[in-house]
Amino acid sequence: AQSVSQHNHHVILSEAASLELGCNYSYGGTVNLFWYVQYPGQHLQLLLKYFSGDPLVKGIKGFEAEFIKSKFSFNLRKPSVQWSDTAEYFCAVNAGAEAAGNKLTFGGGTRVLVKP
Amino acid sequence: GAGVSQSPRYKVAKRGQDVALRCDPISGHVSLFWYQQALGQGPEFLTYFQNEAQLDKSGLPSDRFFAERPEGSVSTLKIQRTQQEDSAVYLCASSLASIASEQYFGPGTRLTVT
């Protein structure tokens, strides 16, 4: 069975600081990887996704993530955060192209608080 | 350009009551998923439909949980004889295809069982 772990449950940082959120997964086959964000009072939104190709993926709002297959990792980064990045971030994985009906397996989430 | 909608947004049920949660996916989306999100945790998969066919219900926690999508569009998640441990946010998501396709989430229904 797939599992996803996010190393930090809570992160507090100041505006303009750099952010990196860790995500590791366990699955032996081809995977699709996602980062979702949930802003306060809003629903889950897709930040970025990796299906194949360049392992460095750029998403919305200046976020990027790097897929390192050998480390089973898909860490999220942003060089300079803003107060509006305060949210909960979820890493998610599903089986790759060989499996249809790709249910997502989520990590436990990381709450990020950016202080103005 | 409507997204995924869910109703009701909030539901309070007394233990033992039956509840029905509705999901309206994005028009034309083939796949529909239900997830359960307990407080402070990530969403967990419940069940999956491709059109009207329920292809995976491995995440349903008990036989009190039942989902349907009779015409391949709107879906209903029903919970019979609710228990306190059923209290959670129930999320619905839809995707355009069945393989390698991102999922779009609705706002969720927050169920509280008293």
Side-chain angles (χ1 to χ4, degrees):
Chain A
Q2 302 168 25
S3 67
V4 179
S5 61
Q6 293 182 237
H7 313 302
N8 306 98
H9 296 293
H10 294 90
V11 171
I12 301 174
L13 60 168
S14 299
E15 278 192 314
S18 65
L19 173 69
E20 180 160 358
L21 302 181
C23 173
N24 286 89
Y25 65 92
S26 66
Y27 182 70
T30 306
V31 292
N32 299 320
L33 299 155
F34 307 82
W35 275 97
Y36 281 85
V37 61
Q38 189 166 26
Y39 298 104
Q42 297 188 26
H43 59 276
L44 280 167
Q45 301 171 39
L46 184 69
L47 262 184
L48 48 78
K49 62 189 177 188
Y50 172 81
F51 289 162
S52 63
D54 189 343
L56 185 60
V57 180
K58 295 194 182 298
I60 61 172
K61 304 186 180 186
F63 284 90
E64 65 179 29
E66 185 175 12
F67 171 48
I68 303 178
K69 188 174 182 180
S70 61
K71 295 184 177 180
F72 298 88
S73 70
F74 190 55
N75 293 353
L76 180 71
R77 298 193 290 255
K78 185 170 183 178
S80 177
V81 295
Q82 301 173 314
W83 174 79
S84 58
D85 293 322
T86 294
E88 188 159 17
Y89 294 80
F90 293 93
C91 180
V93 172
N94 65 18
E98 74 272 12
N102 292 319
K103 60 187 179 186
L104 291 171
T105 300
F106 283 85
T110 299
R111 288 182 180 269
V112 174
L113 172 63
V114 180
K115 294 183 174 181
Chain B
V4 178
S5 61
Q6 293 185 245
S7 61
R9 292 291 312 277
Y10 302 91
K11 177 70 179 178
V12 178
K14 291 187 177 179
R15 193 163 65 94
Q17 283 184 332
D18 298 349
V19 298
L21 313 180
R22 177 187 169 106
C23 172
D24 284 82
I26 294 172
S27 178
H29 277 198
V30 167
S31 298
L32 186 146
F33 303 80
W34 284 98
Y35 294 86
Q36 180 190 59
Q37 186 175 18
L39 190 63
Q41 299 183 22
E44 292 191 358
F45 170 78
L46 292 176
T47 187
Y48 157 68
F49 291 86
Q50 183 175 323
N51 296 307
E52 69 279 2
Q54 188 175 19
L55 298 186
D56 187 347
K57 52 181 181 179
S58 62
L60 295 177
S62 78
D63 58 8
R64 296 186 295 104
F65 286 70
F66 171 75
E68 60 183 5
R69 193 186 185 198
E71 297 178 359
S73 178
V74 171
S75 177
T76 304
L77 176 67
K78 297 179 179 177
I79 309 173
Q80 298 176 326
R81 305 180 304 280
T82 52
Q83 303 294 315
Q84 282 196 317
E85 61 263 28
D86 300 335
S87 295
V89 175
Y90 290 85
L91 299 170
C92 177
S94 69
S95 66
L96 186 58
S98 61
I99 296 178
S101 181
E102 67 183 84
Q103 295 179 25
Y104 296 83
F105 283 81
T109 295
R110 182 177 296 277
L111 172 65
T112 303
V113 181
T114 60

